[in-house]
Amino acid sequence: MQTEFCKQLGVEVPIFAFTHCRDVVVAVSKAGGIGVLGAVGFTPEQLKEELDWIDAHIGDHIYGVDTAIPQKYEGMDKSTPEELVAMIQAAIPQRHREFAEKLLSDHGVPPWPNDDPVSLSFSAVQAQALVDEALTRPRCRMIVNALGTPPEEIIQQVHDAGRLIGALAGRLKHGLAHKAAGLDFVVCQGTEGGGHAGEVASMVLWPQMVDALAPLPVLAAGGIGNGRQILAALGMGCQGVWMGSMWLNTAESHAEPAQRESYMKATSEDTVRSRSFTGKTARMLKNEWTEAWEREDTPDPLPMPLQGYLTFDAVRRTTTYAGVADTQKVAFNPIGQVVGQIHEVESCRDIMYRLMSEYTDALEHVNSLMPEA
């Protein structure tokens, strides 16, 4: 299953695991793939703690770090994190604050016990500190941006450090922009994927992106949950697969029991693309929170990053108190349509072995369809 991009990185199989859990990063990298830690929500100090742990447990294997720097956002003219946060907090209307709090309190979600500050990094000025920290780690071999083409100075910084840098793209024009900026690879995400994604389906988007960006490596993302889908992606010319949703319910993930139950109960029809948590359209489990923000008599979601700062408290409270009262009815559970394939708790290693076995079986099946010479 090895591709040229795998050989360039020195990994055994072209499976890239996006996750916010450090344990998953280590487990997937040790199983032959490469774990990529999502750093949104981390302060530089928190990221240092996470990477210290990864470095202490990952051995000789490598990993990546994913950031989120949108091309356009409110307050992008601010030069310091403090200025940006002050501007954003002042710009959030009181009506939006009251509406979000009422949704939480009506569903019995306990208040946060202290006044810990918001630690989102949806800006260049905040993400820069995370990139700086990641590049101090020899085992961190790639930086990925989840929201557009990274700033030119960050691209140069990563290249100067001898690492690879890529970005996600949900539209062909975004992939072309990534290539023109000098990125080393593109993660092509179909609309089926969890989190921020475009509107075009994976089966349509992947081959278009491969053809348009050649010879730049393209990683397939969006709706991948078994080896047959990996074979389809590689058959279209992709150099690997980028998976996120499948790791949310693993034995190594930090998901609470109530979150796991939500994943395993959901079907592929139970997700929705909503702006209600981040301000940009993202796929997640639909619930009373997502529906409430769509009603005509309620506030419209604010642009990024205002909405994310507004809902930061909701995210941490619904995650921490996932099993309390009706929390799951207003919880933030970003996940793709592949949720319909998540029926049990598996270890990362078991998932990796299953994917490779399914891939082999599918390849043998396709080969069996060829006429005999």
Side-chain angles (χ1 to χ4, degrees), residues 169-171 188-206 221-223 271-273 281-284 335-338:
R171 294 184 179 182
C188 177
Q189 186 176 28
T191 191
E192 303 96 325
H196 299 108
E199 299 180 358
V200 182
S202 296
M203 189 65 68
V204 176
L205 188 61
W206 293 343
T271 69
V272 65
R273 296 174 69 239
T281 303
R283 187 175 295 281
M284 61 195 72
I335 197 166
Q337 291 179 335
V338 74

Side-chain angles (χ1 to χ4, degrees), residues 50-211:
E50 297 296 292
L51 298 186
D52 283 346
W53 189 93
I54 291 173
D55 287 343
H57 292 82
I58 204 166
D60 294 332
H61 303 281
I62 65 172
Y63 62 91
V65 170
D66 178 279
T67 59
I69 314 170
Q71 293 174 311
K72 296 180 180 180
Y73 56 90
E74 295 291 327
M76 61 187 301
D77 59 324
K78 303 303 179 183
S79 59
T80 69
E82 292 76 18
E83 288 180 326
L84 176 65
V85 171
M87 184 282 296
I88 290 173
Q89 295 292 6
I92 297 174
Q94 185 62 26
R95 182 191 179 204
H96 283 69
R97 295 184 186 277
E98 293 172 354
F99 178 65
E101 180 56 40
K102 187 174 189 303
L103 280 173
L104 296 173
S105 59
D106 284 353
H107 289 83
V109 182
W112 196 247
N114 53 49
D115 295 325
D116 289 341
V118 176
S119 58
L120 293 178
S121 53
F122 284 136
S123 73
V125 64
Q126 293 167 307
Q128 180 67 67
L130 303 182
V131 172
D132 291 345
E133 179 61 42
L135 293 180
T136 67
R137 313 299 172 127
R139 309 312 301 173
C140 177
R141 301 307 304 165
M142 61 165 53
I143 301 294
V144 187
N145 186 38
L147 291 172
T149 305
E152 181 179 354
E153 58 271 19
I154 287 184
I155 297 174
Q156 187 63 52
Q157 178 187 9
V158 174
H159 284 160
D160 287 347
R163 322 297 171 86
L164 301 181
I165 184 166
L168 273 70
R171 294 184 179 182
L172 188 58
K173 68 176 184 179
H174 295 160
L176 292 169
H178 296 340
K179 181 179 181 180
L183 299 193
D184 301 297
F185 63 95
V186 169
V187 181
C188 177
Q189 186 176 28
T191 191
E192 303 96 325
H196 299 108
E199 299 180 358
V200 182
S202 296
M203 189 65 68
V204 176
L205 188 61
W206 293 343
Q208 290 183 20
M209 196 77 74
V210 168
D211 291 345

Side-chain angles (χ1 to χ4, degrees), residues 293-316:
W293 287 91
E294 293 295 323
R295 296 201 309 264
E296 292 185 359
D297 62 334
T298 62
D300 291 332
L302 300 167
M304 178 180 277
L306 273 66
Q307 187 73 8
Y309 277 76
L310 169 68
T311 62
F312 176 84
D313 185 55
V315 172
R316 64 183 177 183

Side-chain angles (χ1 to χ4, degrees), residues 326-344:
D326 291 328
T327 293
Q328 285 302 299
K329 293 182 179 181
V330 289
F332 180 44
N333 286 315
I335 197 166
Q337 291 179 335
V338 74
V339 68
Q341 298 181 41
I342 297 176
H343 305 300
E344 60 182 336

